[in-house]
Amino acid sequence: MNTVLDIENISFGYTKDILLFDNFSLSLKAGEIKAIVGPSGVGKSTLFELILGHRKPLSGFIRSSSFSQVFQDPYSSFHPTYTVREQIKEVTSMEGYELLLEKMGLEEAFLDSLPHKLSGGQLQRCSILRALLMKPKLLLLDEPTSALDNLNQLDIMKLIVDNLEGMGVLLITHDGDLAAWCADEIVTLS
Ligand code: ADP
Ligand code: MG
């Protein structure tokens, strides 16, 4: 199977004396879901920053295929003055969006709204829609379901699990049950 993410022996810390990662390795193949769990402040979001290339490891290397990402707070992932549709169109062809829209319980009218007109749950589903439409090889989810209510959480993760062809998923979550249900492997940072 295709490796979509390869992290080898990385070390990283924001300051020299505190290393968040010390010889940390992880690899992910298409079709796999790995969950990253661990207490607040342990470095989960930093790991994504490193994968995204926003930060450089002090040693080791990271190779990643094309990715898209979903953050915890959907309002910070959309520009406030453009409609949701305009912002999705900017990064995707929108090919096949109608089916996903329906599966995600979203309405066309949501797409023509400004982000702040939608609830956190509605907008987070739009953010996941955008990420999936980009057809990434690697999907990075940082606490994506905390903006969703309990009912939506499982439905949305089911949808992602059902659309894994050619894609690997790295999921940061506090939700042990969710991780146990969907992940092939749980990586605990401590
Ligand atoms: P998590 O997502 O697991 O809660 P983070 O990766 O956000 O943890 O943060 C890990 C640690 O690094 C925390 O102690 C945090 O305060 C620190 N940290 C995060 N971002 C920065 C930054 N830009 N500069 C310095 N320290 C940071
Ligand atoms: Mg975090």
Side-chain angles (χ1 to χ4, degrees):
M1 268 199 292
N2 277 344
T3 299
V4 296
L5 175 66
D6 189 16
I7 301 177
E8 275 201 37
N9 295 320
I10 58 161
S11 302
F12 179 80
Y14 290 100
T15 58
K16 277 186 189 143
D17 26 318
I18 307 170
L19 281 185
L20 291 173
F21 297 95
D22 191 6
N23 267 322
F24 176 82
S25 299
L26 175 108
S27 80
L28 184 73
K29 293 183 166 74
E32 270 186 333
I33 301 185
K34 290 192 179 179
I36 309 285
V37 301
S40 186
V42 80
K44 303 183 297 297
S45 297
T46 301
L47 181 63
F48 276 16
E49 295 254 300
L50 287 159
I51 295 169
L52 293 167
H54 295 163
R55 304 202 176 265
K56 289 249 166 297
L58 300 171
S59 59
F61 69 83
I62 299 177
R63 286 202 198 97
S64 159
S65 304
S66 64
F67 49 74
S68 61
Q69 55 192 312
V70 175
F71 297 109
Q72 185 165 5
D73 173 18
Y75 296 101
S76 65
S77 16
F78 284 93
H79 194 284
T81 60
Y82 297 94
T83 67
V84 170
R85 190 190 302 271
E86 284 170 323
Q87 296 182 64
I88 295 180
K89 269 190 163 169
E90 219 164 76
V91 291
T92 77
S93 69
M94 299 213 35
E95 187 199 336
Y97 84 96
E98 293 97 336
L99 186 63
L100 271 180
L101 200 71
E102 192 190 319
K103 282 192 188 168
M104 298 183 81
L106 289 165
E107 293 166 24
E108 286 277 347
F110 293 171
L111 297 184
D112 295 310
S113 304
L114 291 173
H116 65 272
K117 296 284 184 194
L118 301 181
S119 73
Q122 290 166 344
L123 190 60
Q124 188 64 309
R125 278 179 280 151
C126 291
S127 171
I128 294 168
L129 175 76
R130 174 174 61 184
L132 289 174
L133 286 173
M134 289 170 79
K135 300 192 179 17
K137 295 263 184 274
L138 171 64
L139 180 62
L140 299 170
L141 305 169
D142 191 349
E143 300 274 0
T145 53
S146 36
L148 304 173
D149 60 37
N150 283 334
L151 273 178
N152 280 324
Q153 280 191 18
L154 204 58
D155 283 346
I156 295 298
M157 278 317 294
K158 272 187 186 142
L159 183 82
I160 290 171
V161 169
D162 290 344
N163 287 277
L164 274 186
E165 25 170 334
M167 179 174 81
V169 178
L170 209 52
L171 165 72
I172 291 176
T173 181
H174 273 113
D175 187 336
D177 290 342
L178 185 72
W181 172 74
C182 70
D184 299 297
E185 188 187 329
I186 297 177
V187 178
T188 306
L189 299 182
S190 56

Short mmCIF file of all heavy atoms in Angstrom, two decimals, residues 39-46 72 142-143 172 174, ligand 2:
data_model
loop_
_atom_site.label_atom_id
_atom_site.label_comp_id
_atom_site.label_asym_id
_atom_site.label_seq_id
_atom_site.Cartn_x
_atom_site.Cartn_y
_atom_site.Cartn_z
N PRO A 39 -2.61 14.23 26.68
CA PRO A 39 -3.12 15.39 27.39
C PRO A 39 -2.82 16.71 26.68
O PRO A 39 -1.95 16.78 25.82
CB PRO A 39 -2.39 15.33 28.74
CG PRO A 39 -1.19 14.46 28.50
CD PRO A 39 -1.56 13.51 27.41
N SER A 40 -3.56 17.72 27.05
CA SER A 40 -3.38 19.06 26.51
C SER A 40 -1.95 19.53 26.74
O SER A 40 -1.37 19.31 27.80
CB SER A 40 -4.38 19.98 27.22
OG SER A 40 -4.33 21.24 26.65
N GLY A 41 -1.35 20.11 25.71
CA GLY A 41 0.00 20.67 25.85
C GLY A 41 1.11 19.67 25.53
O GLY A 41 2.29 20.01 25.60
N VAL A 42 0.75 18.46 25.15
CA VAL A 42 1.76 17.43 24.94
C VAL A 42 2.44 17.56 23.56
O VAL A 42 3.51 17.00 23.34
CB VAL A 42 1.11 16.03 25.14
CG1 VAL A 42 0.33 15.59 23.91
CG2 VAL A 42 2.14 15.00 25.53
N GLY A 43 1.78 18.30 22.64
CA GLY A 43 2.41 18.52 21.34
C GLY A 43 1.63 18.00 20.14
O GLY A 43 2.16 17.91 19.03
N LYS A 44 0.35 17.73 20.34
CA LYS A 44 -0.46 17.16 19.25
C LYS A 44 -0.58 18.14 18.08
O LYS A 44 -0.35 17.78 16.92
CB LYS A 44 -1.87 16.76 19.77
CG LYS A 44 -1.82 15.77 20.93
CD LYS A 44 -3.20 15.33 21.38
CE LYS A 44 -4.07 16.44 21.94
NZ LYS A 44 -3.52 17.05 23.18
N SER A 45 -0.97 19.37 18.38
CA SER A 45 -1.10 20.36 17.30
C SER A 45 0.25 20.71 16.69
O SER A 45 0.36 20.98 15.49
CB SER A 45 -1.79 21.63 17.81
OG SER A 45 -3.11 21.33 18.24
N THR A 46 1.29 20.69 17.52
CA THR A 46 2.65 20.94 17.02
C THR A 46 3.05 19.90 15.99
O THR A 46 3.69 20.22 14.97
CB THR A 46 3.65 20.94 18.19
OG1 THR A 46 3.27 21.96 19.13
CG2 THR A 46 5.07 21.20 17.72
N GLN A 72 -9.93 22.57 14.80
CA GLN A 72 -10.93 22.49 15.86
C GLN A 72 -12.00 23.58 15.71
O GLN A 72 -13.18 23.32 15.85
CB GLN A 72 -10.22 22.63 17.20
CG GLN A 72 -11.11 22.46 18.40
CD GLN A 72 -10.28 22.26 19.67
OE1 GLN A 72 -9.05 22.34 19.65
NE2 GLN A 72 -10.95 21.98 20.75
N ASP A 142 -7.66 17.90 13.39
CA ASP A 142 -7.28 18.29 14.74
C ASP A 142 -8.54 18.57 15.55
O ASP A 142 -9.14 19.64 15.42
CB ASP A 142 -6.36 19.52 14.71
CG ASP A 142 -5.73 19.80 16.08
OD1 ASP A 142 -6.16 19.19 17.08
OD2 ASP A 142 -4.81 20.63 16.13
N GLU A 143 -8.93 17.62 16.36
CA GLU A 143 -10.16 17.74 17.17
C GLU A 143 -11.34 18.21 16.32
O GLU A 143 -12.03 19.16 16.71
CB GLU A 143 -9.94 18.75 18.32
CG GLU A 143 -8.85 18.39 19.27
CD GLU A 143 -9.31 17.47 20.39
OE1 GLU A 143 -10.49 17.11 20.41
OE2 GLU A 143 -8.46 17.09 21.21
N ILE A 172 -6.45 13.83 15.53
CA ILE A 172 -6.18 14.22 16.92
C ILE A 172 -7.52 14.28 17.63
O ILE A 172 -8.46 14.92 17.14
CB ILE A 172 -5.53 15.61 16.99
CG1 ILE A 172 -4.11 15.57 16.42
CG2 ILE A 172 -5.49 16.11 18.43
CD1 ILE A 172 -3.44 16.94 16.38
N HIS A 174 -9.59 14.01 21.73
CA HIS A 174 -9.64 13.76 23.17
C HIS A 174 -10.55 12.57 23.46
O HIS A 174 -10.61 12.08 24.58
CB HIS A 174 -10.26 14.97 23.90
CG HIS A 174 -9.27 16.02 24.25
ND1 HIS A 174 -9.28 17.26 23.67
CD2 HIS A 174 -8.23 16.00 25.11
CE1 HIS A 174 -8.27 17.96 24.17
NE2 HIS A 174 -7.63 17.22 25.03
MG MG B 2 -3.99 21.13 20.16
#
